[in-house]
Amino acid sequence: MNIQISERLKKIASFVPEGSVLADIGSDHALLPIFLAAQEQIASAIAGEVNEGPYRASCQNVRQHGLGKVIDVRLGNGLSVVQQGEASCITIAGMGGSLICTILEEGKDKLKGVQRLVLQPNVGEEQVRIWLLKNGWYLEHETILEEDQKIYEILIARPAISADELRLNYPVTATLSHQLTLTKEELLLFGPYLVREHSEVFLNKWAGELRKLGRVMDNMANSASAESIEKRKRFEEHYKRLKEVWTCLQKEQPSSNYSKNGSPSL
């Protein structure tokens, strides 16, 4: 069965362990469970939808592919569609980091017995990392990709064995190979694996973030209030540090577009 899905979903699918019982929350026509079931990569799946329209669309899609015995489409909010101990892997993709954190927090009791989380926030990745750290989930891996001029980060986590193991994810400071020292807070912002790999896509993302931050500061320059001046000062300090990190990492990317053309217009 040939199922066509986006490169983003294919990458997410690659992190779902073979033989998993999958719970895909916010399933979007059940595309991910259908793809995995068609590949016989999962034992079964729950496709969760919070709204009636997407729920019906997912049900129809599952029926059309003849996978009703493998995929159970359920209507409900977040992890309310899952019973405790029912799923071994949970995927939540295509929504903001804040919403992903809310879903995980409100369904925390449903996470007992889950062996892997595969999370793809569209924004607010730092919030997701903070939630994982505070709630005893060890970040095993991260990856970043670009598709249709959009950049996506995927975070893969499992229950931590101990508090000491969690500290390995985010030490108080971390010195990278190029002698750049980052704080724990900076590792949460950039991603401990992504910043070490600092791929071209990663650099592209942070060049864009610097440009956006620069525009915000330009807009703030029009206000002379004490509050705005103080806020702009904080933004400038943040901008300066981000650019310092970006510049240091970019120097190690001789094959990137940035190194060919010099520093982007930030």
Side-chain angles (χ1 to χ4, degrees):
M1 191 184 301
N2 186 22
I3 310 297
Q4 298 298 318
I5 60 172
S6 65
E7 290 303 314
R8 174 182 67 93
L9 286 180
K10 284 181 183 177
K11 181 62 73 172
I12 292 169
S14 72
F15 293 111
V16 175
E18 187 173 352
S20 293
V21 176
L22 173 69
D24 184 39
I25 306 304
S27 200
D28 185 21
H29 293 72
L31 292 175
L32 179 63
I34 288 170
F35 176 80
L36 288 166
Q39 304 293 320
E40 298 185 348
Q41 188 174 330
I42 54 175
S44 62
I46 299 156
E49 294 288 5
V50 69
N51 294 316
E52 187 74 29
Y55 167 75
R56 290 181 179 177
S58 293
C59 289
Q60 182 179 4
N61 210 11
V62 169
R63 283 195 301 270
Q64 286 178 344
H65 287 89
L67 293 169
K69 292 183 178 180
V70 182
I71 302 170
D72 185 8
V73 183
R74 299 178 186 176
L75 181 64
N77 186 28
L79 291 171
S80 68
V81 300
V82 182
Q83 299 299 313
Q84 188 179 111
E86 190 175 19
S88 61
C89 177
I90 291 175
T91 52
I92 311 177
M95 59 189 79
S98 178
L99 180 54
I100 289 176
C101 292
T102 297
I103 290 171
L104 293 171
E105 185 65 29
E106 292 181 350
K108 199 182 294 186
D109 60 318
K110 307 295 180 68
L111 297 179
K112 293 178 181 177
V114 173
Q115 298 164 16
R116 174 168 288 187
L117 296 175
V118 183
L119 310 172
Q120 183 267 296
N122 287 341
V123 294
E125 298 88 353
E126 178 187 14
Q127 297 176 56
V128 178
R129 293 186 187 99
I130 291 171
W131 189 93
L132 293 171
L133 178 62
K134 286 183 176 179
N135 289 276
W137 286 85
Y138 180 80
L139 191 64
E140 286 187 296
H141 185 58
E142 302 169 296
T143 191
I144 188 168
L145 72 153
E146 185 170 4
E147 184 176 24
D148 297 330
Q149 298 182 321
K150 294 182 180 179
I151 293 176
Y152 304 100
E153 294 183 14
I154 302 169
L155 316 180
I156 300 94
R158 61 163 171 78
I161 297 171
S162 65
D164 286 341
E165 185 179 51
L166 283 177
R167 281 192 284 272
L168 293 175
N169 260 170
Y170 303 102
V172 175
T173 60
T175 302
L176 307 186
S177 60
H178 32 69
Q179 301 305 305
L180 175 67
T181 300
L182 301 181
T183 66
K184 176 180 178 179
E185 289 72 23
E186 289 171 335
L187 290 174
L188 286 162
L189 176 64
F190 292 113
Y193 298 94
L194 297 180
V195 75
R196 285 181 173 86
E197 295 169 2
H198 52 278
S199 68
E200 185 171 352
V201 177
F202 175 85
L203 292 171
N204 188 4
K205 171 187 172 170
W206 285 102
E209 292 298 319
L210 282 164
R211 285 191 289 268
K212 284 192 284 187
L213 191 55
R215 289 193 291 269
V216 170
M217 290 190 300
D218 287 343
N219 291 334
M220 293 171 63
N222 297 324
S223 175
S225 70
E227 183 181 357
S228 294
I229 292 171
E230 180 60 32
K231 190 174 182 180
R232 178 180 168 84
K233 182 180 178 181
R234 291 196 301 270
F235 271 66
E236 287 175 343
E237 290 172 354
H238 183 55
Y239 177 93
K240 182 179 178 181
R241 177 56 176 167
L242 288 185
K243 189 171 183 182
E244 178 186 5
V245 173
W246 183 90
T247 301
C248 183
L249 296 176
Q250 187 268 341
K251 288 177 180 177
E252 295 193 355
Q253 293 290 321
S255 62
S256 74
N257 292 331
Y258 301 119
S259 63
K260 294 175 185 176
N261 303 319
S263 179
S265 177
L266 297 176

